[in-house]
Amino acid sequence: MSACVPTRTSDSTRPKRVHPPHSPPPGPRRRFRIAGADVSASIAVFLIALPLSLGIALATGAPLQAGLVAAAVGGIVVGRLGGSPLQVSGPAAGLTVVTADLIQRYGWRTTCAVTVLAGVAQLGLGCLRVARTALAVSPAIVHGMLAGIGVTIAVAQLHIVLGGTPQSSVLDNLRALPAQLAGLQPAAVAVSVLTLSLLLIWPRIPGRTGRLLRTMPAPLVAVAGATATASLAGLTLPKVDLPSWRSHALAGLPEGPALGVAAAVLTITLVCSVQSLLGAVAVDKLIASRPGLVASPATRAPRVGRSDLDRELLGQGAANIVSGSLGGLPVAGVAVRSSANVHAGAVSRNSTMLHGVLVVVAALLMVPILELIPLASLAALVMAVGIQMVSLHHIRTVTRHREVLVYAATTLAVVFLNVLQGVILGIAVAVAVALNRLAHTRITHDEREGVHHIQVRGQLTFLAVPRLSRALHLVPHGSPAVVELDGSFMDHAAYEALQDWQKTHTAQGGSVELTGRRLGTGTITPAAAGAGAGTGTGTAGTEPPAPAAPGAGTPLADCRCRPWTPWRNHQCEVPRSAPASGVSPGGPAAEEPVGAPGTVPGGHPAELSAGTTGRTGAADQPSSTEPEPHPSTPPSTTATSTTSTTATSTAPASADPGSPAPTSTGPGPLTPDGTAPGGTAPGSSPLDSQEPSTPQEPGSHQLVRGISAFQRNTAPLVRGELARLAREGQRPTQLFLTCADSRLVTSMITSSGPGDLFVVRNVGNLVPPPGEESGDDSVGAAIEYAVDVLKVRSITVCGHSGCGAMQALLGSEPGGEQTPLKRWLRHGLPSLERMADGSHPWPRLAGRAPADAVEQLCLTNVVQQLDHLRAHVSVARALRAGALELHGLYFHVGEAQTYLLTGGGGDELFDHVGVAHLTA
């Protein structure tokens, strides 16, 4: 056989793909697959959607099939075309009032035509890409609109619950309520009470039995229970009537005044669009709480991106066109079904589409079963949904943000007028409130110990310039003055008035100090004002030095560091006595690090934090070369700042025994080649080649300066929240037990705040087993108090890399003097023995092996201390009751990466947080 003849003749008969040149290679064939999680989630959503769709159709006065049509179209069409994969759309309770009013005015066929026209309008808005604009509506208006609709629904459905028929408006329903109470139907009331009772009790069944039963949604259980009870008891009640699909009414040409139809289209478009877009944003937040849905592709976990709001608007428009054409209710994103879809474990849009298919199957095959449902049960279900739309959480939120007036005006207008007029009135009130806040500025003047204080509360605009000028001219010539600006905006007119007075006052021998809620001291410059209030830097006049701690080289008000910056990396303001060259006694001037454009250290906007901008050692003297701002040029909105470094100092000793004391004294981090900034080696000062460094600053001065920065910058921002916690007491949900290492900042790595964590810190994050404390019951007492008194729901043991306690355990020698440290570390010996025991697999890290024996012991210690926790009586009792979860964390300091302990049964894996799920 010739060598040119192919040895496999079968290959020559196969068709060969011809790949066109200059085109990407063909991708792999995609197979349509539905994940098991999507199937189970679709069933859960379907069981909720079925009774709610019928109930909403009943509340609007539409044919009951219309609710099923809208649910099916919302699931299939929006699920396929929408931009929020996990949001479920269908007939929404927020549209009930609008649709009911349309049906009463124009009839059902015209209402369907209005729904189609609203869908066309939504398509137009989606093509114009204005979806984000809808989010500009104040949340107080949206919450007020939903609350007003909820009140209207609840009042109307109350008549059906009592066995009667609702009226056309809230006032008519309220006036007819006494007569309805006098002639109530006991059978309807009994079925309604049973439905409401099941709705209330079902989600609150405790224990393992409750968790098992809650797999069935409460609305389905409530309606099914009431239906079964009514059937078994033989109660005579109005029930669901689903006529033949052959007689189902479809959309017709709109009939009625053109202006009224246009207003109806605008209302449907507005309510559907805003509710759907806000629902998509809420679904994104729910998805973010499920790490598996936002995992990186490298983990091969399902991934759901953020919602495309313009595409979502297009999908909602297409669904409303289809639903209206087929004789269905208007379609919008529904919060209850969407949250159920996410919580049920859906991973793609297939769950939403499959739920719509299930609704179609039920509408075709389950008609005899659906016709057994009493109307009173559906009315009670919808009434409960309406009551839940008046959210106490929303009321507390708008109260905290001082928008109660907007919320109340919108709610009342929706209840007593209609939805469109209510939203318009709410927008008008919101604009009026915003203008009032902008124009309302409080300016006071008082004298304390010879210093005149001018306090400005609110935004400083041209409207407040006359009152500001009057207050400033009350300050006598040559006297010291302090101007406190507590606001976030200063316009050009106010800036010029304040600057002109400042120059005049300092020229007459006086001094001016500008302070603010978020800034230190200084005088104002064009670079600091403009778009921001409360700004100041030294430009003209003499400024008195800020008060300093006794013996401190740097005034307290001059510290310009981020709140979380380590003391040893501080780059603070040069002392007042520094030479005019701009070089501090500790080293050369350096550019101050900033976090992002337009910000200054501390994380505050530049226009709010320029109180110490632009000063050098000679900043106390007026600058003769600085140009005056041109009157017609508005000041810059961003302030840049350059500062001189203070003397470097060695970091405080680590609180973790055994960890080596840091030797680097440089003002910043090392460069990638391992040298300090400027080319010096680690451990040496970058100033060694220039001049001797100044002595280390006493720790008390560092502490006092930090406290002063807190009182000045942070305390005004958190005072309200801390006052609430002081009134209500602590109610943390987490006990966080970690090491005393100074590099572990629990609030930073957990993004928690005051009142969130009950923290226990000790050397080595050790949990002494019960009975072995030997006089030290502090950890056991904290655990008992957290579990039995505070009722925490979770306990976390957090270890970390480079733990000095673990190093001390590995290097300890038997015998010797029993110091307090050695006596404490004996509680870590079980961890050492666990690692030496070959019968147990070692805990491991995801993606890499432990770096050394110390890291392996740190991981093993977390697992061992969790075993010690389970031995405590209070913990064991709470675990048996299902009221407590235990978690293990490992924080790698150098990587700034947190690992979560997953698995069990001998396979302990520390996985990246953001990928693993929190499991008990």
Side-chain angles (χ1 to χ4, degrees), residues 765 767-770 783 797 830-831 834 840 843 859-873 875-876 879 886-888 901 904-906 908:
N765 48 274
V767 181
I783 294 171
V797 176
S831 302
R834 187 189 190 106
H840 295 284
L859 299 174
T860 306
N861 183 59
V862 172
V863 178
Q864 183 64 38
Q865 301 312 314
L866 289 173
D867 288 347
H868 290 178
L869 262 176
R870 295 184 183 96
H872 282 262
V873 176
V875 173
L879 288 174
L886 301 185
H887 303 295
L901 178 62
E908 286 85 9

Side-chain angles (χ1 to χ4, degrees), residues 645-665:
T645 57
T646 60
T648 57
S649 60
T650 306
S654 172
D656 192 353
S659 61
T663 56
S664 172
T665 58

Side-chain angles (χ1 to χ4, degrees), residues 746-835:
T746 57
S747 58
M748 182 176 69
I749 66 177
T750 60
S751 298
S752 56
D756 293 337
L757 297 181
F758 188 71
V759 182
V760 175
R761 304 186 66 153
N762 61 51
V763 175
N765 48 274
L766 301 178
V767 181
E772 297 186 10
E773 292 87 349
S774 297
D776 184 4
D777 290 324
S778 60
V779 178
I783 294 171
E784 181 182 348
Y785 183 77
V787 175
D788 293 342
V789 179
L790 298 179
K791 306 294 183 184
V792 297
R793 299 194 300 267
S794 172
I795 302 179
T796 301
V797 176
C798 179
H800 68 96
S801 62
C803 181
M806 300 301 104
Q807 296 178 23
L809 276 175
L810 284 175
S812 62
E813 297 291 340
E817 180 183 359
Q818 290 298 309
T819 63
L821 177 59
K822 284 189 175 182
R823 287 195 297 270
W824 172 254
L825 289 181
R826 78 183 187 279
H827 301 304
L829 292 177
S831 302
L832 200 60
E833 296 170 357
R834 187 189 190 106
M835 192 174 75

Side-chain angles (χ1 to χ4, degrees), residues 291-292 900-902 911-918:
L900 175 66
L901 178 62
T902 61
D911 204 350
H912 294 83
V913 171
V915 176
H917 295 276
L918 285 176

Side-chain angles (χ1 to χ4, degrees), residues 331-476:
V331 172
V334 188
V336 176
R337 277 161 266 182
S338 301
S339 60
N341 191 36
V342 176
H343 291 311
V347 295
S348 72
R349 61 178 71 243
N350 291 333
S351 65
T352 304
M353 298 171 61
L354 187 56
H355 126 269
V357 173
L358 293 176
V359 172
V360 173
V361 173
L364 296 177
L365 303 180
M366 296 178 58
V367 173
I369 298 177
L370 297 179
E371 290 182 339
L372 297 175
I373 301 175
L375 295 182
S377 178
L378 292 179
L381 175 64
V382 177
M383 186 179 71
V385 173
I387 294 173
Q388 291 172 356
M389 293 172 70
V390 186
S391 172
L392 294 179
H393 171 71
H394 292 160
I395 295 176
R396 286 193 293 266
T397 301
V398 298
T399 302
R400 186 167 62 249
H401 292 284
R402 296 183 300 168
E403 293 185 330
V404 178
L405 182 61
V406 179
Y407 180 89
T410 307
T411 301
L412 294 176
V414 169
V415 170
F416 295 108
L417 299 175
N418 58 51
V419 174
L420 183 60
Q421 293 177 356
V423 171
I424 293 175
L425 181 61
I427 293 175
V429 174
V431 171
V433 169
L435 292 176
N436 178 68
R437 290 177 180 174
L438 186 63
H440 184 70
T441 306
R442 181 186 178 192
I443 302 175
T444 60
H445 166 266
D446 63 337
E447 180 182 359
R448 298 192 297 269
E449 299 178 356
V451 179
H452 292 262
H453 294 265
I454 312 297
Q455 293 181 336
V456 180
R457 298 287 184 268
Q459 317 310 319
L460 198 52
T461 65
F462 66 94
L463 298 174
V465 168
R467 287 182 289 135
L468 176 64
S469 298
R470 284 195 297 269
L472 293 175
H473 284 85
L474 294 176
V475 181

Side-chain angles (χ1 to χ4, degrees), residues 194-348:
L194 177 60
T195 304
L196 294 175
S197 301
L198 289 174
L199 276 175
L200 182 65
I201 296 173
W202 193 260
R204 293 171 174 81
I205 299 177
R208 183 177 302 177
T209 303
R211 289 198 300 272
L212 182 62
L213 293 177
R214 282 194 296 272
T215 56
M216 294 293 292
L220 177 67
V221 173
V223 174
T227 302
T229 303
S231 300
L232 294 176
L235 299 179
T236 303
L237 290 170
K239 296 181 180 179
V240 169
D241 182 16
L242 292 175
S244 173
W245 285 101
R246 296 177 182 177
S247 60
H248 180 62
L250 303 180
L253 293 176
E255 299 178 358
L259 187 60
V261 173
V265 172
L266 177 62
T267 304
I268 292 287
T269 304
L270 174 67
V271 177
C272 287
S273 301
V274 172
Q275 182 169 342
S276 299
L277 295 177
L278 293 178
V281 174
V283 169
D284 284 344
K285 295 178 181 179
L286 290 176
I287 293 174
S289 65
R290 286 183 53 192
L293 290 180
V294 292
S296 62
T299 62
R300 298 183 180 180
R303 180 182 179 90
V304 177
R306 294 183 62 84
S307 298
D308 184 342
L309 297 185
D310 292 306
R311 179 179 173 181
E312 179 67 16
L313 203 54
L314 292 172
Q316 296 290 340
N320 275 313
I321 292 175
V322 176
S323 179
S325 300
L326 297 179
L329 292 171
V331 172
V334 188
V336 176
R337 277 161 266 182
S338 301
S339 60
N341 191 36
V342 176
H343 291 311
V347 295
S348 72

Side-chain angles (χ1 to χ4, degrees), residues 493-824:
Y495 159 74
E496 284 192 347
L498 189 57
Q499 187 192 48
D500 292 343
W501 171 82
Q502 177 189 6
K503 290 180 178 179
T504 303
H505 190 73
T506 53
Q508 295 173 347
S511 64
V512 178
E513 177 183 352
L514 264 70
T515 65
R517 184 172 56 181
R518 297 186 179 181
L519 39 120
T521 61
T523 54
I524 194 166
T525 62
T535 60
T537 57
T539 58
T542 302
E543 184 182 347
T554 304
L556 295 179
D558 290 337
C559 184
R560 301 159 53 196
C561 309
R562 296 178 178 89
W564 49 264
T565 305
W567 283 339
R568 72 190 189 96
N569 289 337
H570 269 190
Q571 299 185 25
C572 295
E573 184 61 42
V574 65
R576 299 292 182 185
S577 59
S581 62
V583 179
S584 70
E591 180 72 13
E592 182 175 29
V594 294
T599 63
V600 295
H604 305 304
E607 66 270 15
L608 291 177
S609 303
T612 54
T613 303
R615 295 198 216 122
T616 61
D620 292 338
Q621 302 300 328
S623 172
S624 60
T625 61
E626 181 173 351
E628 292 291 332
H630 195 278
S632 62
T633 304
S636 171
T637 60
T638 305
T640 58
S641 58
T642 304
T643 183
S644 302
T645 57
T646 60
T648 57
S649 60
T650 306
S654 172
D656 192 353
S659 61
T663 56
S664 172
T665 58
L670 299 180
T671 57
D673 59 358
T675 62
T680 57
S684 62
S685 172
L687 310 177
D688 290 343
S689 60
Q690 301 178 23
E691 58 183 310
S693 61
T694 57
Q696 177 181 342
E697 184 183 15
S700 61
H701 300 158
Q702 294 174 333
L703 188 64
V704 171
R705 186 164 59 240
I707 295 173
S708 174
F710 167 79
Q711 293 296 146
R712 185 176 63 256
N713 300 331
T714 309
L717 305 179
V718 300
R719 186 171 288 118
E721 178 68 10
L722 292 179
R724 182 186 66 81
L725 291 173
R727 293 191 305 269
E728 300 176 359
Q730 63 167 335
R731 289 181 291 180
T733 60
Q734 314 281 330
L735 168 59
F736 199 83
L737 199 151
T738 188
C739 186
D741 192 294
S742 60
R743 297 167 295 180
L744 262 71
V745 184
T746 57
S747 58
M748 182 176 69
I749 66 177
T750 60
S751 298
S752 56
D756 293 337
L757 297 181
F758 188 71
V759 182
V760 175
R761 304 186 66 153
N762 61 51
V763 175
N765 48 274
L766 301 178
V767 181
E772 297 186 10
E773 292 87 349
S774 297
D776 184 4
D777 290 324
S778 60
V779 178
I783 294 171
E784 181 182 348
Y785 183 77
V787 175
D788 293 342
V789 179
L790 298 179
K791 306 294 183 184
V792 297
R793 299 194 300 267
S794 172
I795 302 179
T796 301
V797 176
C798 179
H800 68 96
S801 62
C803 181
M806 300 301 104
Q807 296 178 23
L809 276 175
L810 284 175
S812 62
E813 297 291 340
E817 180 183 359
Q818 290 298 309
T819 63
L821 177 59
K822 284 189 175 182
R823 287 195 297 270
W824 172 254

